Amino acid sequence: MTELARTRDSLLASYDAIENRFGQMDARQWQVQSLCPDWTARDVVSHLAMMETVMTGWVPSNSEELPNFGRVGPFTEETAGLADADFARRVTEIFAVRRDDLAKLTQADLELPSWTPVGVKTFGRFLEIRVFDFWVHERDITTPLGWPTDDSGPRAEISLAEVEGSLGYIVGKRIGLPDGSSIVFHLTGPLARDLSVVVDGRAKMVDHVDGPDVEVTADFLTFMQLACGRIDPQAQIDAGKITWTGNGELGDRAARSLRFTM
């Protein structure tokens, strides 16, 4: 699969997933407390639709050009008073326009330098961040509602890559693994894999570590939601959803310190 197809298909699947979710919601479920503090399920959907409104028709012409954040206020005013069904229809309309935008994308567009929330990257990277945002926010809704999710496939892989890109920071700064130490995260479930990090002056990912100082095991979803600051580490430790072997102090610190974003 080409980068263009993978990115475009993942965004299209993200729109489908959110539409399928709110298509199942009743009035109470729209107002359920999401995993985001102060946001209901409707607030989460509103956030996603607002950002897609901002991005409508936008392909950056240079790395300093921002998407049209001037649309945030009008979008908020337009949707604030809508009944849930009318709000859902409006979101569906926004996603339909974005589907048309994506149909026009080229590989050259993805390679353009672009402003992103993590600095100047490429437009393709910005769109991958959008996939990550959708993936995490969908679970901000489904977890409180007790709804199952499919945590496999390209969208999950793109989302995990966002965390992997920050794993050096997580291990070096958040966990504070000492110089000369190493850690391996064993992820179980649909995206089972080992993520190895060594600290040699600075923390960096490596392909493999023999005899790491600490090994942490968690299912993929638990790892991702801890990294995104969505769930309480102590509750996951008590439930046995994240465990460790080796240096107990470092393992405990790692389990409690994965968050790199919110």
Side-chain angles (χ1 to χ4, degrees):
M1 182 179 289
T2 66
E3 178 191 4
L4 176 60
R6 183 172 183 258
T7 302
R8 179 162 51 204
D9 289 354
S10 294
L11 278 168
L12 293 173
S14 297
Y15 302 153
D16 291 344
I18 294 299
E19 288 175 342
N20 289 338
R21 295 304 180 186
F22 65 61
Q24 303 173 51
M25 289 184 196
D26 58 26
R28 180 193 65 81
Q29 290 165 331
W30 273 109
Q31 296 304 316
V32 74
Q33 172 63 55
S34 78
L35 294 185
C36 292
D38 303 323
W39 278 9
T40 64
R42 173 161 166 161
D43 293 330
V44 171
V45 174
S46 181
H47 163 77
L48 291 169
M50 177 272 292
M51 192 60 199
E52 293 305 299
T53 297
V54 164
M55 293 187 66
T56 295
W58 180 70
V59 175
S61 60
N62 60 70
S63 62
E64 297 181 357
E65 180 185 272
L66 300 179
N68 191 351
F69 286 104
R71 294 171 177 164
V72 172
F75 169 83
T76 302
E77 293 176 6
E78 173 196 357
T79 59
L82 293 179
D84 291 334
D86 294 331
F87 173 71
R89 279 192 288 273
R90 182 69 187 107
V91 174
T92 298
E93 292 171 357
I94 292 166
F95 287 171
V97 174
R98 291 293 292 139
R99 288 184 176 98
D100 289 341
D101 285 346
L102 293 176
K104 301 169 188 173
L105 275 183
T106 68
Q107 179 61 40
D109 291 332
L110 297 189
E111 296 166 3
L112 292 170
S114 174
W115 173 89
T116 81
V118 295
V120 175
K121 305 294 181 181
T122 65
F123 189 49
R125 177 68 195 286
F126 193 2
L127 296 181
E128 289 177 347
I129 293 171
R130 295 301 304 138
V131 174
F132 170 70
D133 202 41
F134 269 89
W135 192 92
V136 174
H137 280 313
E138 180 187 356
R139 284 145 188 82
D140 288 340
I141 296 170
T142 57
T143 297
L145 290 174
W147 290 354
T149 54
D150 178 3
D151 298 323
S152 63
R155 290 195 301 142
E157 292 170 357
I158 289 171
S159 299
L160 177 58
E162 288 298 317
V163 178
E164 287 186 80
S166 297
L167 204 54
Y169 165 78
I170 293 170
V171 170
K173 300 298 185 182
R174 295 285 299 152
I175 298 172
L177 205 70
D179 196 25
S181 301
S182 58
I183 186 171
V184 176
F185 297 94
H186 301 291
L187 307 190
T188 65
L191 246 61
R193 63 192 61 189
D194 295 339
L195 308 177
S196 304
V197 179
V198 298
V199 183
D200 182 10
R202 60 187 292 271
K204 59 182 179 181
M205 286 193 66
V206 295
D207 292 335
H208 178 73
V209 173
D210 289 319
D213 294 279
V214 59
E215 299 179 64
V216 177
T217 301
D219 66 87
F220 170 63
L221 181 57
T222 295
F223 175 80
M224 290 293 290
Q225 291 186 315
L226 285 171
C228 295
R230 284 343 203 235
I231 52 179
D232 174 35
Q234 186 62 57
Q236 312 316 308
I237 293 169
D238 293 343
K241 299 191 75 173
I242 184 165
T243 60
W244 56 87
T245 58
N247 187 305
E249 179 185 354
L250 293 178
D252 183 79
R253 197 190 307 169
R256 299 177 189 277
S257 307
L258 287 174
R259 187 180 78 180
F260 81 105
T261 186
M262 184 63 185

